[in-house]
Amino acid sequence: MSVLITNAFIYASDEANTVIESGWIAIEGNAITGLGPMSELPDTVKARASQHMDAKGKLVLPGFVNPHWHESFVAPNHEKPDDSDLVPTPYSNGGDVAALGSMFGFISTVGDKLSLEEGVAIARWSMWTQLRSGSTALGDLGSANLPDAMATAAIDLGMRLRVSRWGSDIMIPRGASHFEVIADTQKQTDDWVQLFETWHGHPSGLVDGMPSVTGAFGSSDAQLLAMKEIADKYHAPYATHLAPLKCERAAMVRVFGCSPIERFDRLGLLTDRLLAVHTAYASEEEYQRLRDTGVNICHSPAHYGMLGESTISETGQIGRFLKEGAWVSTSSDGDVSFTGGMCEAMRATHLGHNEAHNCNTTCPPTLALKTGTLYAANALGWRDRIGSLEVGKQADLVVIDIEDYRFKLSNHPLRTFLVTGSSKDIESVMVGGEWVVVEGKSPRFDEAQLYQDYLSAISSARQRIGRPS
């Protein structure tokens, strides 16, 4: 199919920050074959188009790339509507490494307790909430689900996924100078290998693999080295939460004699294929090592207020990465229900870092957009395929209506969208030249049925999952 989109307000999110106020995009098959201002639209391009979208009054952006996400919708939601049950989370007040280690170790076992049918039904619904919000690609950093279910759901929905299996084989007891083994390292390694043999480079073109671990405090040396060996073998990125909490350093020094970043460096894990999430507590020497080695820094600014983390404000390091030109990516993180998509995440990136650094040029709108598109695609190893609207790249894009009152006096519709918009504003979504969301609906599935299938799956699955000890 040949698609021609005309009269669109385009932000290409390429390295040149291309903006076309009234432009066209030509798509042949799954790739972008041309784009430019309407005044330069060739007649031959118009003649070839078998499908035409007049996007007058529409904002067209690259498909959002959410590089750090956890499918967790099987977990029960115990929150109360009046905040009467609100207590500090394990992420608050510098972080409770022991509580997090227990929780992450438990999460790594949840998928094994699901049937494939249950896992697919749960994943379809949770991943639909991301696709409907404009996320055309997800990076799974470990989920409470089966990798096979996640990959199957991605293909069913028509979205991209770096599928993972969450590695966590140790935990550090509170105040201890030793770690406890909580899982079979070899079994988790074998699971990674099976995942890659099944899904990496999948013929659909939508799914690849990415081994991941919870963090430096949740993995043995053997597990970390196995993760790197597998990633090297398959030329894939690998991921972890690295130095995200103030209290983690002391716990790591007691047990391993070094900080989280130092430990990864000693094991040869600081490379340009490492996706390091929430990385805010680095010494000056460690900060420079992260820069020199090209580690991909990612953060989830819209989630920190819900968890009680101070990743943006306390050290200011992620904003510093941005100011110094590092390709920092933005992500939504994951939870037991939908807590926002990439629009909300990029808004928090734009506003949060400008405020924290006391300067409106720290993260302007076009940079915030790149953290959720081009830079995020780079973090997932997909920069050559997606992340910007450029000739030769896959045709992944989102369409947003900018005809309502919010945009009437705006000369910068991207800024207005980031500041006042939401995931609900996404009108249509294309992945690889195919419309997978049209006017807010899936052309493949009935949303109500997806939700009913999800409810049926969790009603049976939650009975056997249990809770962390």
Side-chain angles (χ1 to χ4, degrees), residues 69-76 90-91 99-114 140-147 164-170 182-183 188 191 212-214 217 241 307 333-336 465-469:
W69 181 74
H70 306 281
E71 201 291 279
S72 307
F73 276 29
V74 73
Y91 305 91
L100 290 171
S102 176
M103 180 176 71
F104 292 157
F106 171 78
I107 292 172
S108 71
T109 70
V110 170
D112 297 333
K113 301 171 184 176
L114 302 177
D140 171 21
L141 252 75
S143 295
N145 206 326
L146 294 160
S164 186
R165 190 257 189 262
W166 191 329
S168 180
D169 64 346
I170 67 169
I182 60 173
Q188 292 190 354
D191 286 347
S212 68
V213 297
T214 59
F217 62 84
H241 306 84
L307 296 179
D333 211 333
D335 216 320
V336 302
I465 287 174
R467 294 190 179 197
S469 59

Side-chain angles (χ1 to χ4, degrees), residues 121 125 446-459:
W125 174 251
D446 175 68
E447 184 175 301
Q449 188 61 55
L450 283 180
Y451 184 58
Q452 288 303 314
D453 291 346
Y454 162 75
L455 292 178
S456 296
I458 61 170
S459 68

Side-chain angles (χ1 to χ4, degrees), residues 179-457:
F179 63 77
E180 293 181 358
V181 176
I182 60 173
D184 186 326
T185 307
Q186 188 58 52
K187 180 183 183 305
Q188 292 190 354
T189 301
D190 292 344
D191 286 347
W192 277 333
V193 173
Q194 182 60 49
L195 180 154
F196 270 80
E197 289 296 315
T198 304
W199 296 109
H200 191 63
H202 192 265
S204 66
L206 297 174
V207 179
D208 279 318
M210 180 173 68
S212 68
V213 297
T214 59
F217 62 84
S219 291
S220 64
D221 285 359
Q223 183 165 76
L224 294 177
L225 291 172
M227 175 178 68
K228 178 67 160 49
E229 182 179 352
I230 291 168
D232 287 346
K233 177 180 178 180
Y234 292 94
H235 307 288
Y238 51 101
T240 189
H241 306 84
L242 185 63
L245 302 166
K246 181 167 55 178
C247 295
E248 182 189 11
R249 179 181 290 266
M252 291 293 296
V253 170
R254 284 197 310 270
V255 176
F256 294 100
C258 59
S259 73
I261 295 172
E262 287 174 328
R263 184 170 177 230
F264 266 60
D265 202 7
R266 290 178 185 181
L267 294 173
L269 293 166
L270 296 187
T271 75
D272 61 2
R273 286 191 293 112
L274 172 62
L275 171 56
V277 183
H278 310 317
T279 307
Y281 292 89
S283 68
E284 183 60 28
E285 181 180 357
E286 291 168 350
Y287 177 89
Q288 293 303 329
R289 279 294 290 161
L290 293 168
R291 288 299 316 270
D292 293 344
T293 55
V295 170
N296 293 282
I297 305 297
C298 179
H299 72 316
S300 309
H303 209 203
Y304 297 139
M306 288 181 268
L307 296 179
E309 292 187 42
S310 53
T311 310
I312 294 177
S313 58
E314 186 162 7
T315 68
Q317 286 187 343
I318 291 179
R320 180 182 171 191
F321 278 120
L322 284 167
K323 291 178 74 173
E324 294 182 1
W327 281 30
V328 175
S329 56
T330 294
S331 60
S332 73
D333 211 333
D335 216 320
V336 302
S337 62
F338 180 72
T339 54
M342 289 302 293
C343 171
E344 292 79 8
M346 291 185 292
R347 172 192 296 128
T349 297
H350 168 48
L351 299 179
H353 292 296
N354 284 351
E355 193 281 335
H357 286 266
N358 195 28
C359 183
N360 64 307
T361 66
T362 300
C363 187
T366 53
L367 177 56
L369 176 64
K370 284 199 284 194
T371 68
T373 52
L374 181 64
Y375 295 176
N378 185 69
L380 292 179
W382 284 340
R383 176 185 170 188
D384 60 333
R385 299 190 209 174
I386 60 173
S388 57
L389 301 177
E390 299 183 70
V391 172
K393 284 196 172 183
Q394 295 277 291
D396 290 14
L397 55 85
V398 297
V399 180
I400 301 153
D401 189 349
I402 55 173
E403 283 286 86
D404 68 52
Y405 68 95
R406 294 168 296 171
F407 296 89
K408 292 300 184 185
L409 301 179
S410 173
N411 293 326
H412 197 318
L414 175 61
R415 181 195 63 80
T416 303
F417 170 65
L418 290 182
V419 173
T420 72
S422 77
S423 291
K424 195 73 166 60
D425 282 313
I426 305 302
E427 183 178 275
S428 297
V429 180
M430 174 181 282
V431 177
E434 179 183 353
W435 294 109
V436 291
V437 179
V438 179
E439 295 183 353
K441 299 184 183 301
S442 170
R444 300 185 178 197
F445 293 97
D446 175 68
E447 184 175 301
Q449 188 61 55
L450 283 180
Y451 184 58
Q452 288 303 314
D453 291 346
Y454 162 75
L455 292 178
S456 296

Side-chain angles (χ1 to χ4, degrees), residues 4-8 10 18-26 33-48 391:
L4 177 63
I5 300 171
T6 58
N7 300 309
I10 300 168
T18 300
V19 179
I20 307 173
E21 295 190 23
S22 179
W24 59 274
I25 303 173
T33 55
L35 76 164
M38 288 300 297
S39 59
E40 300 174 10
L41 173 58
D43 291 337
T44 53
V45 171
K46 289 191 285 187
R48 277 203 305 269
V391 172

